[in-house]
Amino acid sequence: MTNTIQSHRIAVIEDDELQLASLVTGLEQQGFTVESYTNREDAQNAFNEKLPDLVISDIILGSEMDGGFDLAKHLLSYNQPIPIIFLSERQSEFDIYTGHALGAIDYLPKPISLNVLIVKVKNLLRITSSTGQKEQLGEFASKIPGLELSQEKFKAYWHEKQLDLTATEFEMLKQFAISGEGTVVSYDSLQASTQGVVERNTINTHICRIRNAFKKVTPDFNLIHNEYGRGYSWQSKD
């Protein structure tokens, strides 16, 4: 049986060489192709030649206190979403918010459990690599007026303006587009849509980010409602 994991290229950026070696060994043992870097500049130069399928990065890289964040900003300049997992000892609310605002799929504390990281990596790549098995662009129609989704590119548009969403948040938003107005999207459905990448206790945070993405287009946006104990629903103003 062919191991589909082998086709995935993961870039790991970590300035601690012992930690870097541990991450690389653990990921390679799972069949991933791993490219390792100890600094932001080398990683960016490599990305200019060929982009990886996933980036795992520390925040502090050498003398650059925000090297990982700067790397994420650089990735945003490419015309395709590259999922990022941050690993860091910095666990302030501001740092975690900044990481997610820059497009991070996850922000994990150090010291990291390698087993947990590997599970999250597999789940995340299952989402981002399954486009060919899902609806192709044009075959998926949103039931919500003004909301359009491109399954092929993991991009969503609100009144023809692109929303700033991660791949997992795109999958969560898709549940509302499929269900339509007035239908409750359960917590279990939202979590299942991300293949377990989003944990139950962080769903509210991702919904808040989705709402904020809409507010950047329409500041008075208030259509995603909390259904206490059940999940969320899309409710029109009428």
Side-chain angles (χ1 to χ4, degrees), residues 107-168:
Y107 192 113
L108 303 177
K110 283 186 174 182
I112 182 66
S113 164
L114 188 57
N115 289 333
V116 170
L117 176 63
I118 288 172
V119 168
K120 287 181 176 288
V121 166
K122 287 182 177 179
N123 286 339
L124 177 57
L125 290 173
R126 189 177 299 120
I127 291 175
T128 57
S129 65
S130 60
T131 302
Q133 301 172 3
K134 296 181 180 180
E135 300 91 344
Q136 295 299 313
L137 185 62
E139 295 181 3
F140 172 72
S142 170
K143 294 182 180 179
I144 296 175
L147 178 63
E148 298 179 6
L149 284 79
S150 169
Q151 181 68 55
E152 185 178 6
K153 299 179 180 179
F154 284 97
K155 291 182 179 180
Y157 302 87
W158 179 236
H159 296 300
E160 299 184 351
K161 294 186 178 180
Q162 184 177 333
L163 298 172
D164 178 19
L165 301 173
T166 64
T168 51

Side-chain angles (χ1 to χ4, degrees), residues 66-79:
D66 292 328
F69 289 157
D70 291 337
L71 180 63
K73 293 176 184 177
H74 178 77
L75 285 171
L76 290 174
S77 67
Y78 293 101
N79 192 29

Side-chain angles (χ1 to χ4, degrees), residues 54-57 68 71-73 75 82-86 102-107 124:
L54 171 68
V55 171
I56 300 173
S57 180
L71 180 63
K73 293 176 184 177
L75 285 171
I82 305 298
I84 306 170
I85 296 177
F86 282 127
L102 290 171
I105 299 299
D106 217 330
Y107 192 113
L124 177 57

Side-chain angles (χ1 to χ4, degrees), residues 37-50:
Y37 310 94
T38 58
N39 61 79
R40 176 185 59 81
E41 185 176 0
D42 286 348
Q44 285 187 185
N45 289 337
F47 295 165
N48 289 335
E49 298 296 325
K50 186 174 183 180

